[in-house]
Amino acid sequence: MSKVSRRAALGAIGVGAVAVAGYQLRGTAESHAFSRPEARTGDNAVVEENKAAGSDAWTMGRDATTTADDKVVQIQGYASKTSVAPGDSLDFHISSHVAQACTVAIYRIGHYGGVGARQLTSRSEVRVEPRAKPEADPTTGLVACDWPVSWTLDIPKSWVSGMFLAVFTSEDGHRSYTPFVVRDTTRRSDVLLVVPFTTYQAYNIWPTDGRIGKNLYRGFTAEGLPGGNPERAFKVSFDRPYAEAGTPAWFDMDISAARWAEQAGYDITYASSVDLHEGRIDPSQYTVIIFPGHDEYWSKKMRDCAEEAVDTGTHLAFFGSNNIYFHIRIESAADGRPGRVVTCYKQDPDPTPGAGGPTERWRTLGKKHRKAEQGLLGVQYNGMIKAPVPLVVRESKHWFWSGTGLRDGDELPDLVAVEADGFDPSMPRPENATQTLLSESPYNDSMGRGRRIQNTSLCEDKSGTLVFVAGTFHWPLALSKAEHLDPQVQRATKNLMDRMLTPRG
């Protein structure tokens, strides 16, 4: 699909006709055959890496550790980048409530025989001192630290691309974390997993001290109570710790998907959402790009990269919901370092809209909802769920559900949760594609917007390129998190990956 024809078609709201498998979207684009090498599942660097002994020593409570908090900042820190390449270096900026030595241990997230992580290096006796909390910018609400570098990690060239955690542990037994990615854009892999750092930062309200902290949703009132839009920030910085223990909101969605993919033996490399924005990712180098969790905040360059992926025959798989909802700008820090500030004005006037337009909801950009996320995804966010409800299966004879034993109307308990996506016939649809709605799950919106329908969606264009959207927060958790584990979700997702990794033409 060409970008020109995609954009022209986004305004064509009423072109679809109901088909047996969902919504058949008519188009005239020529079919293309995309050649990809045979998948390297089971025989790749990630499989070899996961043969190493794992460790759970990073977990909170081990060795009598306790969680650091934002008010006291017993031990907290942040990384100088969201991702780093082997052979490069990464700085950690750490503060403590008293001058002391701390230990910084580096773990790679994976399967590792079910342990879930492996310690790759550790540095003890890292000197840390109390550092001042910055005041919020009175105009934008930006909270950005300028703490000095406490320790620099040189990334060995032997390290395998993945999701990583830096674990900060103080002498007095407090612990916190900060995540980062080791990327490897120098080699082609079957699968690229993109970690949603822009969304992590949008929800980060550090410090939750009743005074300074702000994110893109709220801040604190003069009375020290949680506020709302009047108190929120328009800009948030990566130059600060993540709140409290340091694991971002819904980080477990991404961890669960990554562990499942590595257990399955897929040839996978990793990137951050900032990498998409900064042009480090050539989507044609991958057969599948996975967006594993809650991936809500997207810049124009990020979306351009995803659209280019489909245009060049790379499949997309979104394992969560509420994807590509807010348009953002990713800007430089005050000292000029790129990729350190996420800007989103939402319903407020954007004083400096760029080439992509104002930072508001994608579905409100342009005339006739031309930029609505459904134009790429096939479905879009349609509500919030107070308590989990079942996912109701539809189109059970489709290859996606093969081997699950499910029939139309069967329910997968508690799978639809937190936020849901659904098909909106009034919004743009993917052009030149057949859409299959694989679920039809009723729920009541917790914000009082009435009864809604959740849809899991699969779109296939004329070249066979697939765009999958699970449409619920609990899908990635069902892949490997013990309390959510669902073998039928695992099988369906394997069916999806098998189909995506099968060469075409």
Side-chain angles (χ1 to χ4, degrees), residues 155-494:
I155 309 295
K157 291 187 177 181
S158 61
W159 280 14
V160 175
S161 176
M163 291 176 64
F164 284 72
L165 272 181
V167 182
F168 310 125
T169 305
S170 66
E171 285 181 336
D172 51 11
H174 289 89
R175 174 169 285 178
S176 68
Y177 312 99
T178 199
F180 64 96
V181 163
V182 172
R183 64 180 186 267
D184 186 358
T185 57
T186 62
R187 81 170 184 91
R188 183 201 172 278
S189 62
D190 295 334
V191 181
L192 177 72
L193 188 146
V194 180
V195 184
F197 277 84
T198 52
T199 299
Y200 289 168
Q201 202 53 246
Y203 282 84
N204 182 18
I205 199 170
W206 186 93
T208 53
D209 58 358
R211 188 176 72 85
I212 299 171
K214 293 179 183 290
N215 62 16
L216 293 181
Y217 293 87
R218 59 189 177 92
F220 295 98
T221 66
E223 295 75 28
L225 300 174
N229 282 327
E231 291 78 30
R232 76 177 185 89
F234 302 127
K235 295 175 182 280
V236 290
S237 174
F238 285 107
D239 290 325
R240 56 179 180 155
Y242 290 101
E244 304 293 6
T247 50
W250 292 105
F251 187 54
D252 55 347
M253 295 170 70
D254 307 304
I255 287 178
S256 180
R259 286 172 172 164
W260 170 81
E262 298 210 354
Q263 181 183 15
Y266 297 122
D267 176 35
I268 187 169
T269 54
Y270 294 74
S272 81
S273 50
V274 177
D275 292 323
L276 263 65
H277 173 82
E278 295 189 340
R280 298 189 185 96
I281 303 304
D282 176 0
S284 68
Q285 295 303 300
Y286 311 97
T287 304
V288 184
I289 300 179
I290 293 176
F291 301 91
H294 185 202
D295 210 337
E296 183 177 353
Y297 287 80
W298 283 55
S299 70
K300 180 181 183 298
K301 289 181 179 180
M302 290 167 61
R303 181 160 176 173
D304 286 348
C305 185
E307 292 185 349
E308 181 185 349
V310 178
D311 291 342
T312 57
T314 299
H315 308 290
L316 305 181
F318 292 81
F319 287 169
S321 60
N322 193 15
N323 303 292
I324 320 182
Y325 186 63
F326 279 114
H327 174 231
I328 60 172
R329 288 194 298 276
I330 301 179
E331 299 174 335
S332 298
D335 61 5
R337 288 173 295 117
R340 299 305 289 171
V341 174
V342 176
T343 297
C344 190
Y345 280 82
K346 299 186 177 180
Q347 71 276 6
D348 291 281
D350 187 340
T352 57
T359 51
E360 58 190 34
R361 291 171 179 83
W362 277 98
R363 64 186 67 175
T364 63
L365 287 172
K367 296 180 180 179
K368 297 183 179 179
H369 311 289
R370 289 174 64 88
K371 295 294 184 179
E373 59 270 35
Q374 185 172 278
L376 171 64
L377 301 175
V379 289
Q380 60 188 36
Y381 166 77
N382 68 1
M384 302 185 72
I385 302 150
K386 186 175 182 179
V389 299
L391 182 139
V392 182
V393 172
R394 171 176 166 167
E395 303 297 339
S396 59
K397 294 183 180 180
H398 192 277
W399 56 258
F400 179 84
W401 295 118
S402 178
T404 64
L406 294 168
R407 297 183 179 182
D408 285 8
D410 283 353
E411 298 182 348
L412 296 175
D414 296 337
L415 190 56
V416 178
V418 187
E419 295 178 339
D421 292 346
F423 177 76
D424 186 342
S426 71
M427 289 288 177
R429 309 167 183 179
E431 66 168 23
N432 308 312
T434 299
Q435 182 176 27
T436 306
L437 300 180
L438 296 160
S439 70
E440 189 171 330
S441 315
Y443 71 94
N444 291 316
D445 177 67
S446 64
M447 303 298 290
R449 293 171 291 193
R451 188 174 176 82
R452 302 292 176 94
I453 299 294
Q454 178 273 346
N455 298 121
T456 298
S457 171
L458 183 70
C459 293
E460 181 174 0
D461 70 13
K462 290 189 174 182
S463 69
T465 304
L466 302 171
V467 176
F468 169 78
V469 181
T472 168
F473 272 37
H474 276 191
W475 191 280
L477 300 181
L479 293 176
S480 71
K481 192 168 184 178
E483 58 267 39
H484 294 274
L485 200 64
D486 190 315
Q488 291 167 314
V489 172
Q490 290 177 316
R491 175 57 190 264
T493 312
K494 181 182 183 300

